[in-house]
Amino acid sequence: RLPFVVGQISDRWIFREPVQAAQERACADDPRSRLVVTRDLTRTPGDDAHYDSTGMVLLGSRFAAAALAFTAE
């Protein structure tokens, strides 16, 4: 019964397709989970692994919104 928020694995990771599919299935199968999409977040120039400050702020906002959505249920 514990809410769980999942951050989508990066589109730039080599094994992204099976991991993203598993994340989507897990969240679809569990009504107490939410998937935070990360595909459109901006990255640090020259570094595909890390978000820049704008991307991090938006990621945090999405996690917060997903978590707060559980309180409305």
Side-chain angles (χ1 to χ4, degrees):
R1 303 199 40 79
L2 180 67
F4 190 76
V5 179
V6 177
Q8 181 185 51
I9 197 74
S10 172
D11 276 348
R12 295 176 174 108
W13 189 51
I14 191 169
F15 300 111
R16 69 188 169 275
E17 291 173 1
V19 173
Q20 287 176 346
Q23 289 177 315
E24 291 169 12
R25 277 192 312 275
C27 289
D29 291 345
D30 185 348
R32 299 295 292 165
S33 66
R34 300 287 184 276
L35 180 65
V36 172
V37 175
T38 62
R39 287 186 175 103
D40 61 334
L41 298 177
T42 53
R43 308 276 176 160
T44 301
D47 179 2
D48 282 346
H50 299 96
Y51 303 110
D52 63 11
S53 58
T54 301
M56 288 297 294
V57 169
L58 188 51
L59 179 63
S61 296
R62 290 179 184 177
F63 265 90
L68 287 172
F70 291 113
T71 63
E73 295 177 357

